[in-house]
Amino acid sequence: MTAPSLTERAVAAGLVLALAGLFSGLTANTPLGSLKPFDILIMLITVPCLASKSLADFKISTGLLLMIVFYLVCTVPSCLENDFLYGLRRAIQVMILVSFGVVLLNVNPAALTRRHYVLALAVMACIVAVNVVWHVANGYLTDWKRLGDPKSLFIFLPACVGVGIVLKVLPRNALTAAIWALLCVLILMSGERKALPAFFLISLAVYLDLNSLRGFALAVVAGLVVVIAGDIVLDGYVFRRIESIFAGSDPRNDPLYILQGGIPASLSDAQRKLGIQVATQLFHDNPIFGSGMESTVNYARSHFSNYPKFLTGVAHNEFWRVLAEHGIFGMTFMLIPMLRTLYLTAMDSITLYRLNGQTTYPRCMLIILVPIAAYMWSEGSGVEMFTLIMLVALLPDLMPGIAARAQAHTRPVSRRALVALPA
């Protein structure tokens, strides 16, 4: 394999930085809408990526084509129904997402090294550190969620670390076990409840195998010691956060109760409750084709203008939002690439296990898919959500080769494009 060119190395670095900084929370407001570092970096590296490929080497996948169809079905009607500037903004957003998929499939694997993985970890860790320091400096010793996007790294940073451990890019030793325990403590302190069950499942995928039970036990013991100590110091805060996951629907979060002057048990839960109610109503009104893009937030703000502003945001559930805004028709086109990914994950997992007893691939897929599923179930739409959905659609084209290369085994050539991580 020929050495990657300077352009190919720049494209690889740009892609890594774009993904690592996805939840930085930084935004640049322009006449064509808000652009985030992810958007800018993808626009900068797309043309060099395509220019460095010959037509014979250009890769495209069924997953990418399915996502393009999904964007066309859900975006084009909205662009036609609104003014030119709105349509242009949406078109730019779709082009950026499609460009991301094209770059992801066509980046030169030889240009990706372990240094890029370490760089991604460093960027994500820095964002988490800045988030925590800002909150503590402003008097918030817990509940580190006021900066918005950076809170999501409490769920995705462990996934990034976990994939590195499974692929043996990071060693499995006492140090990584201590880091894992620290991540557990940070998640508990952050108050990001959806990260807790995801972290538990990721931990099982990372550590619960016969070769590393000792590391798993060390991580659990260290984590429990620090968690219990933190709970004592913070007067029961940690276990209250754990208990809140299983508390169910609290009547104090009902919008009518809040409107009458009641104090909600949780601001985020109250907002989610109203968002789901709005999405449910819109879906019942237009179950087949939906009520149109952004109808959920527009409906909430117009029909509940007398409600506190924090209640009238978007539906914090991507599945309900798509059902409400695009109906069963749009939801079908979103689910097809996802179901394809689940099916191919199962098939590839069986194939690789039969060939050489490999479990790396299904474990990596579990580590990646679990936090994305939790994010889709509990967060509102944005470039982060759309990027993750594109990533899910392309995982079957990327991960088998990465897992096979990590195990130093070969895999039968697939009809789907494979991208391997170099040793």
Side-chain angles (χ1 to χ4, degrees), residues 51-73:
S52 66
K53 304 286 290 188
S54 66
L55 187 60
D57 294 331
F58 183 77
K59 298 175 185 176
I60 197 167
S61 76
T62 302
L64 179 59
L65 293 176
L66 289 171
M67 287 305 300
I68 292 174
V69 172
F70 169 65
Y71 293 139
L72 292 176
V73 166

Side-chain angles (χ1 to χ4, degrees), residues 65-100:
L65 293 176
L66 289 171
M67 287 305 300
I68 292 174
V69 172
F70 169 65
Y71 293 139
L72 292 176
V73 166
C74 294
T75 305
V76 171
S78 176
C79 293
L80 297 177
E81 293 170 0
N82 291 276
D83 60 74
F84 173 77
L85 186 58
Y86 178 89
L88 182 60
R89 289 172 177 171
R90 287 297 178 186
I92 291 174
Q93 185 181 56
V94 169
M95 286 190 291
I96 290 172
L97 292 169
V98 173
S99 297
F100 164 64

Side-chain angles (χ1 to χ4, degrees), residues 41-287:
L41 286 168
I42 294 300
M43 287 191 291
L44 288 175
I45 65 176
T46 299
V47 172
C49 178
L50 295 177
S52 66
K53 304 286 290 188
S54 66
L55 187 60
D57 294 331
F58 183 77
K59 298 175 185 176
I60 197 167
S61 76
T62 302
L64 179 59
L65 293 176
L66 289 171
M67 287 305 300
I68 292 174
V69 172
F70 169 65
Y71 293 139
L72 292 176
V73 166
C74 294
T75 305
V76 171
S78 176
C79 293
L80 297 177
E81 293 170 0
N82 291 276
D83 60 74
F84 173 77
L85 186 58
Y86 178 89
L88 182 60
R89 289 172 177 171
R90 287 297 178 186
I92 291 174
Q93 185 181 56
V94 169
M95 286 190 291
I96 290 172
L97 292 169
V98 173
S99 297
F100 164 64
V102 170
V103 172
L104 200 58
L105 287 173
N106 289 278
V107 63
N108 186 349
L112 291 168
T113 67
R114 285 179 172 82
R115 291 181 180 178
H116 289 94
Y117 172 74
V118 174
L119 174 64
L121 278 184
V123 171
M124 296 169 74
C126 285
I127 295 172
V128 169
V130 170
N131 184 38
V132 172
V133 169
W134 183 91
H135 280 87
V136 173
N138 284 273
Y140 303 108
L141 299 180
T142 58
D143 287 330
W144 302 322
K145 301 184 292 184
R146 290 163 179 81
L147 293 184
D149 290 340
K151 69 178 182 180
S152 297
L153 285 180
F154 290 115
I155 186 174
F156 288 109
L157 180 57
C160 189
V161 174
V163 167
I165 294 174
V166 171
L167 293 178
K168 300 180 181 178
V169 179
L170 296 177
R172 282 193 289 189
N173 52 27
L175 176 60
T176 53
I179 293 173
W180 204 253
L182 175 62
L183 289 173
C184 180
V185 174
L186 288 175
I187 290 170
L188 288 167
M189 297 287 286
S190 73
E192 189 66 358
R193 291 169 297 174
K194 63 178 175 289
L196 284 172
F199 182 79
F200 174 75
L201 292 175
I202 293 171
S203 297
L204 294 181
V206 171
Y207 281 104
L208 198 53
D209 67 307
L210 296 178
N211 296 323
S212 58
L213 285 176
R214 179 173 176 271
F216 180 71
L218 286 173
V220 170
V221 171
L224 286 175
V225 169
V226 180
V227 166
I228 294 172
D231 189 69
I232 294 173
V233 172
L234 298 172
D235 193 25
Y237 166 81
V238 174
F239 285 108
R240 284 198 302 271
R241 300 307 300 174
I242 297 175
E243 183 182 5
S244 68
I245 299 175
F246 310 99
S249 180
D250 194 314
R252 291 174 296 174
N253 295 326
D254 189 274
L256 290 178
Y257 171 78
I258 299 171
L259 193 61
Q260 293 169 359
I263 300 176
S266 167
L267 296 180
S268 61
D269 286 348
Q271 195 279 325
R272 285 187 173 90
K273 190 167 186 176
L274 181 61
I276 295 300
Q277 289 176 1
V278 169
T280 303
Q281 182 61 51
L282 291 176
F283 173 67
H284 286 163
D285 292 342
N286 300 279

Side-chain angles (χ1 to χ4, degrees), residues 23-45:
F23 296 99
S24 66
L26 301 176
T27 302
N29 294 317
T30 72
L32 296 178
S34 298
L35 294 177
K36 298 193 175 186
F38 173 88
D39 303 313
I40 297 171
L41 286 168
I42 294 300
M43 287 191 291
L44 288 175
I45 65 176

